[in-house]
Amino acid sequence: MTQPPASKTPSASRLTKRAAEGLAGGLERALDPLTNAVKRAVQTGADAVANLTQAPAAETEPSTKAKVAAPGKPGLAVSPLAVALPDMPPVGGVQLSTAQSGFYKHDRKDTLLMKFAEGTTCAGVFTRHTIGSAPVDWCKKQLEANEGQDVRALICNAGCANAFTGKLGADAARRTASALSRRIDCRQRDIMLASTGVIGVVLDDAKIAARLFDLEKDLRADAWADAAATIMTTDTFPKGAHETAVIDGVTVRINGIAKGSGMIAPDMATMLAFIATDATLSPGVLQSLLALFTRTTFNSVTVDGDTSTNDTCLLFATGAAGAPKISRAGDKRLADFKAKLEKVMHSLATQLIRDGEGATKFVKVNVTGASSPASARKIAKSIAESPLVKTAFAGEDANWGRIVMAVGKTEEPVDRDRLSIRFGDLVAAENGAVSRTYDEAAMSAYMKNAELEVSVDVGVGRALAHVYTCDLTHGYISINGDYRS
């Protein structure tokens, strides 16, 4: 395959540190409006990351640490629903490194390189947003070209989404892949790309090209925590998950990281997720499993009902563990691996909700008795995305009338006279009216919990769905009202 000509960037060896910093600053001021978006520089937040990564914790145990500055956007405190990043041991065949390329004015890393062993297979699911980004277009095109075989690297930047940027954005994506392919000696099509940040700004790929030498030099197997922190934007804590599984007697590892806090309502959020395993799986198996579990994990969470231009979830399998190759998704030897992969994806997805912009409540919405799974899902999302319902959660008000509103507005099949609503184990309504056992004091006490569960039975069938969401507070307005300023 003939590769396009390489972009011409200054050699790092010809620049003094002072000159390099000056050039980066000039490029930021001239080409990247995002550099004018941050009002003040703050310290890196490395201490905050360290605080959150000292010890593993179950995803259902929110961090009890005092509020500290988040390592992402300046001025944000770590979410009260945050969970600690678990210990993430190396995955065979995966090396990672991070760098500061200058997409933010303040001092923080913003570029991640993941390098994979030869023979690594890959699958991806992407946003169905009609205005997809340049990196999304690139990944979809290359996975079609290489059929998910021998993917060698992923490079991801935070601070610039490179979305709605036309040919200039597409060219910047291509040049990034070209520069990295030359650096690690592979084909352009074996490079995956991901970006997150402000929409409408063309990626300054020269910033990434200038850091490729350092990124390659610093590659190591144990940099998962750094990787999770580097891809953050308005996230307030790094998100990761780890599991081990057994395939035909061989132990394999699964690691995943994700980012996302607002613009979250995946349809495949601003959401990126990268998962790697040292199992030996064909691209077809990876694609089948990823698509299957995306429905019950990433596609079952919502912060604000807004789907991103850049949503990307990539799953890599290096084969380094020496497990037998699996070429059928229905192979019985995959039973344990399937369960553990879904667990990793579920953990990452629910961590997105725990970090919802301004969130103080983690909410699970259950819908049962629906006419079809699609109907159950539509009703659950209507409840989870209703501003009236979400502000009631924020106000700790068990206003079940708003739940009724959100159910009925979907125009899905519902039996009004059999409708029931519960908050936790407390019955609010049944048989189409307020419950005779309704206890306002008990309801008010329950709503003060940081984690809530709302269950609705619509009384027309047997289908069910679960959706995870958060409350809507003034914090969401504050974060998004001055996102670029």
Side-chain angles (χ1 to χ4, degrees):
M1 176 178 177
T2 302
Q3 297 187 355
S7 61
K8 296 181 180 180
T9 58
S11 170
S13 63
R14 297 177 185 173
L15 296 173
T16 65
K17 180 178 180 180
R18 182 183 301 274
E21 290 174 348
L23 176 60
L27 286 171
E28 287 175 354
R29 290 188 295 271
L31 299 176
D32 194 347
L34 182 59
T35 61
N36 296 320
V38 183
K39 292 179 179 177
R40 59 193 179 278
V42 298
Q43 65 187 65
T44 64
D47 291 341
V49 177
N51 285 339
L52 286 169
T53 58
Q54 287 177 355
E59 66 177 90
T60 56
E61 297 179 0
S63 172
T64 58
K65 298 183 181 299
K67 287 187 177 181
V68 292
K73 184 178 179 179
L76 299 182
V78 174
S79 168
L81 304 171
V83 293
L85 192 72
D87 178 41
M88 300 181 69
V91 171
V94 182
Q95 293 181 301
L96 312 93
S97 64
T98 59
Q100 182 172 336
S101 297
F103 291 105
Y104 291 93
K105 187 175 181 179
H106 57 286
D107 185 18
R108 59 156 288 179
K109 291 184 176 180
D110 53 26
T111 307
L112 164 67
L113 172 62
M114 297 179 69
K115 185 180 178 183
F116 306 104
E118 291 186 17
T120 294
T121 53
C122 177
V125 290
F126 306 93
T127 183
R128 288 198 284 257
H129 197 288
T130 55
I131 306 175
S133 67
V136 165
D137 290 347
W138 174 271
C139 287
K140 291 166 70 174
K141 179 180 179 181
Q142 305 318 317
L143 284 175
E144 182 178 354
N146 62 26
E147 299 181 333
Q149 300 281 3
D150 202 23
V151 170
R152 297 302 312 282
L154 161 72
I155 192 151
C156 172
N157 73 276
C160 177
N162 199 18
F164 199 61
T165 50
K167 185 177 185 301
L168 292 176
D171 288 344
R174 174 184 53 76
R175 288 193 300 267
T176 300
S178 177
L180 180 56
S181 68
R182 293 196 304 273
R183 169 63 60 183
I184 65 174
D185 192 23
C186 71
R187 300 170 299 185
Q188 284 189 65
R189 72 184 192 185
D190 299 331
I191 305 292
M192 296 293 107
L193 304 176
S195 298
T196 181
V198 173
I199 294 172
V201 178
V202 177
L203 181 72
D204 183 358
D205 56 285
K207 292 181 178 180
I208 296 176
R211 299 313 308 272
L212 289 181
F213 174 81
D214 291 333
L215 282 164
E216 185 184 29
K217 175 174 62 69
D218 295 338
L219 283 166
R220 65 183 202 274
D222 61 350
W224 285 93
D226 288 345
T230 295
I231 63 176
M232 293 164 58
T233 51
T234 59
D235 304 62
T236 71
F237 65 91
K239 301 164 185 66
H242 164 75
E243 291 291 335
T244 60
V246 176
I247 298 177
D248 201 20
V250 179
T251 299
V252 300
R253 289 175 171 174
I254 309 170
N255 277 3
I257 59 174
K259 65 81 50 185
S261 185
M263 204 184 292
I264 299 288
D267 186 19
M268 19 135 265
T270 304
M271 187 206 87
L272 301 178
F274 310 128
I275 305 166
T277 178
D278 49 13
T280 309
L281 305 173
S282 71
V285 169
L286 289 180
Q287 191 65 51
S288 295
L289 298 184
L290 187 61
L292 174 65
F293 296 138
T294 293
R295 298 173 192 167
T296 56
T297 58
F298 295 120
N299 277 3
S300 292
V301 299
T302 179
V303 168
D304 47 23
D306 288 332
T307 299
S308 168
T309 55
N310 290 55
D311 290 348
T312 297
C313 181
L314 295 170
L315 174 59
F316 305 91
T318 68
K325 182 176 181 179
I326 305 295
S327 299
R328 291 189 309 106
D331 194 311
K332 293 181 179 180
R333 293 173 294 177
L334 273 183
D336 188 45
F337 181 86
K338 288 179 180 179
K340 298 301 175 56
L341 175 61
E342 184 175 25
K343 189 173 181 180
V344 165
M345 293 173 66
H346 183 271
S347 176
L348 294 175
T350 54
Q351 286 180 60
L352 301 178
I353 298 304
R354 292 185 177 279
D355 204 13
E357 290 173 340
T360 65
K361 305 286 186 182
F362 175 88
V363 185
K364 182 180 181 181
V365 177
N366 306 306
V367 170
T368 56
S371 60
S372 68
S375 179
R377 174 180 167 81
K378 184 175 180 179
I379 294 169
K381 291 196 73 175
S382 177
I383 297 168
E385 293 177 351
S386 165
L388 283 174
V389 172
K390 291 162 73 69
T391 49
F393 292 146
E396 300 181 343
D397 179 9
N399 191 337
W400 57 270
R402 293 183 178 181
I403 305 292
V404 173
M405 174 279 300
V407 171
K409 75 175 184 178
T410 63
E411 300 183 6
E412 290 296 310
V414 172
D415 187 335
R416 182 191 61 188
D417 296 328
R418 296 181 64 186
L419 184 70
S420 67
I421 301 171
R422 288 184 293 114
F423 289 77
D425 294 328
L426 303 174
V427 181
E430 56 187 340
N431 299 323
V434 62
S435 172
R436 288 176 292 179
T437 62
Y438 182 84
D439 184 333
E440 181 70 25
M443 286 288 185
S444 295
Y446 176 76
M447 294 300 290
K448 294 185 182 302
N449 292 323
E451 300 191 20
L452 305 173
E453 188 165 358
V454 176
S455 301
V456 179
D457 192 292
V458 297
V460 295
R462 296 183 177 182
L464 54 84
H466 309 288
V467 171
Y468 298 86
T469 191
C470 58
D471 56 345
L472 179 60
T473 71
H474 194 277
Y476 182 88
I477 299 171
S478 299
I479 292 168
N480 286 285
D482 65 356
Y483 183 75
R484 295 199 309 147
S485 58

